[in-house]
Amino acid sequence: MELLRLMSMALVLVIHANTAYQPWPIDQTDVQAVPVHCFLRFLIESLCIVCVNAFVLLSGWFGIKFSLRRLLSFIFQVLFFSLILSFLPNHQGKRLIIDIVTLNQYWFVRAYIILFIISPALNLLAEHAPKKVFQYVLVAFFVMQTVFSYISNSSWFDDGFSPLPFIGLYLLSRYIRIYQPKFATFKKQVDLAVYLGVTVLLATLSVVLFKWFGTGGRMFNYTNPLVILSSVSFLLFFTNIKMKDNRVINWIAASSVGAYLLHMNPCFFQSYYIHTLQSFSRWDSSILICIAALVFMIAVFFAGVLLDKIRGLLWNGILNVSKNAKRV
């Protein structure tokens, strides 16, 4: 499951890299002119769109164990990256003090903190409500989310960029873990087939809808039922992988959020991450562009992990100082 955490964060880097190259966003003219290229771009988007949902589902799978110390640790983690990156030599660093203090640089962080705070209540529902009540809540929630968010585009759900969809995903994962419904007991090959099948379906539908109707039909919305199905299948595939505990994977995964906090920081994202990826597009070879982009994303990923390890040492130092002060 730590491998799933690692993969979720890695896919975030890939999905944002996909937007760095033209044409993006893709429109009807692009699809009609270069349908194969557009299909491949949509395919990458489809493969990676599970990233955020899968991370939230993973939290629900284990269940968030709320404590003030953990909350403060997470907030310190975000503040550490925000403060360090605000010193990068670009124009954005000068205006980010308020954004840093209010955690306004990362939409995911704000949404996840809300989920973290209310997780004790969600855990009570999941663990103590009758099964039928739990089922009713889930069905009602996802039906209403589909109607209000995916179909009518309500700002409450913000296409999945808000705490509300996180609540539904968290509860869905808790239900799967506690009750092991039939769809969660298939072999990993079935789970992988569903994930890949939905991936191809999303890409195909996007091309067809753009070509004939001039719109993608909001296929890559986090609240799209197909995206949720793909995300659940992605989660279940990893739950069925049998492998020995791997120290390297655990060590990397423990700080994989650092990759997100690094590359998505407004002081780094456009000026360094996107700019560097776009600079590769001047080359003539598509293969070299892909290799360079992959190597660069891996470098950014591990830079975020290593930076987070430094943050961890600093946080542990603060805790030790605090403990010693209390003893005195």
Side-chain angles (χ1 to χ4, degrees):
M1 297 305 285
E2 290 304 307
L3 182 60
L4 172 59
R5 190 188 312 278
L6 189 157
M7 287 296 300
S8 297
M9 289 296 105
L11 291 179
V12 174
L13 271 70
V14 178
I15 199 171
H16 291 146
N18 193 38
T19 67
Y21 299 104
Q22 298 298 323
W24 197 271
I26 295 172
D27 59 24
Q28 186 176 28
T29 303
D30 300 321
V31 171
Q32 292 175 341
V34 282
V36 175
H37 173 80
C38 291
F39 175 79
L40 292 175
R41 296 289 297 282
F42 284 137
L43 193 64
I44 294 173
E45 195 78 1
S46 302
L47 281 167
C48 301
I49 197 64
V50 300
C51 56
V52 173
N53 287 355
F55 190 87
V56 178
L57 287 167
L58 182 61
S59 296
W61 185 264
F62 290 114
I64 295 174
K65 308 298 189 297
F66 177 86
S67 73
L68 182 59
R69 178 175 168 178
R70 290 186 178 186
L71 177 60
L72 292 176
S73 175
F74 183 52
I75 292 174
F76 177 81
Q77 185 179 27
V78 179
L79 291 175
F80 174 83
F81 275 84
S82 298
L83 287 169
I84 293 296
L85 296 174
S86 67
F87 289 99
L88 287 174
N90 61 55
H91 66 282
Q92 296 211 31
K94 297 178 182 179
R95 66 173 182 81
L96 291 175
I97 300 301
I98 294 179
D99 286 345
I100 289 172
V101 174
T102 60
L103 306 177
N104 199 38
Q105 296 174 294
Y106 307 97
W107 73 265
F108 176 84
V109 167
R110 299 194 305 273
Y112 195 82
I113 285 176
I114 296 298
L115 176 66
F116 191 92
I117 290 172
I118 66 173
S119 62
L122 299 179
N123 291 336
L124 284 174
L125 169 63
E127 295 163 13
H128 298 289
K131 183 179 180 181
K132 288 187 176 181
V133 172
F134 199 174
Q135 290 173 335
Y136 165 79
V137 170
L138 286 173
V139 171
F141 179 91
F142 283 104
V143 168
M144 292 299 99
Q145 177 176 268
T146 301
V147 173
F148 294 150
S149 176
Y150 183 63
I151 296 176
S152 63
N153 195 23
S154 168
S155 59
W156 298 347
F157 292 88
D158 196 20
D159 294 338
F161 295 88
S162 85
L164 203 49
F166 281 21
I167 292 171
L169 291 169
Y170 183 88
L171 288 175
L172 175 61
S173 188
R174 294 301 299 141
Y175 177 83
I176 294 172
R177 181 71 187 275
I178 294 170
Y179 293 106
Q180 288 291 299
K182 187 175 181 180
F183 69 82
T185 59
F186 296 135
K187 294 182 179 180
K188 60 179 180 291
Q189 292 86 349
V190 176
D191 298 323
L192 182 61
V194 173
Y195 164 63
L196 295 177
V198 175
T199 293
V200 175
L201 177 61
L202 285 170
T204 304
L205 286 174
S206 296
V207 170
V208 171
L209 290 172
F210 266 112
K211 185 173 183 179
W212 295 105
F213 302 101
T215 176
R218 302 169 68 239
M219 284 290 105
F220 304 113
N221 185 318
Y222 288 129
T223 58
N224 180 351
L226 287 175
V227 172
I228 294 173
L229 172 61
S230 182
S231 304
V232 170
S233 300
F234 192 68
L235 168 78
L236 292 175
F237 171 73
F238 280 91
T239 64
N240 285 322
I241 295 178
K242 306 299 181 184
M243 61 183 295
K244 293 182 179 179
D245 197 39
N246 189 299
R247 286 188 176 184
V248 176
I249 290 177
N250 292 344
W251 186 84
I252 297 172
S255 291
S256 58
V257 174
Y260 166 79
L261 295 174
L262 170 61
H263 95 280
M264 274 304 293
N265 186 279
C267 290
F268 185 86
F269 183 69
Q270 197 64 45
S271 301
Y272 296 93
Y273 190 71
I274 297 297
H275 177 75
T276 302
L277 288 169
Q278 289 177 338
S279 69
F280 301 146
S281 62
R282 304 189 188 100
W283 300 352
D284 295 329
S285 172
S286 298
I287 295 177
L288 285 178
I289 292 173
C290 291
I291 293 174
L294 180 61
V295 171
F296 176 68
M297 284 187 287
I298 292 173
V300 171
F301 184 92
F302 279 100
V305 169
L306 293 175
L307 193 57
D308 189 64
K309 294 301 180 184
I310 296 173
R311 184 275 318 167
L313 292 174
L314 182 59
W315 175 250
N316 289 334
I318 293 173
L319 291 179
N320 289 333
V321 170
S322 176
K323 288 179 181 178
N324 292 333
K326 287 181 179 179
R327 290 173 183 172
V328 173

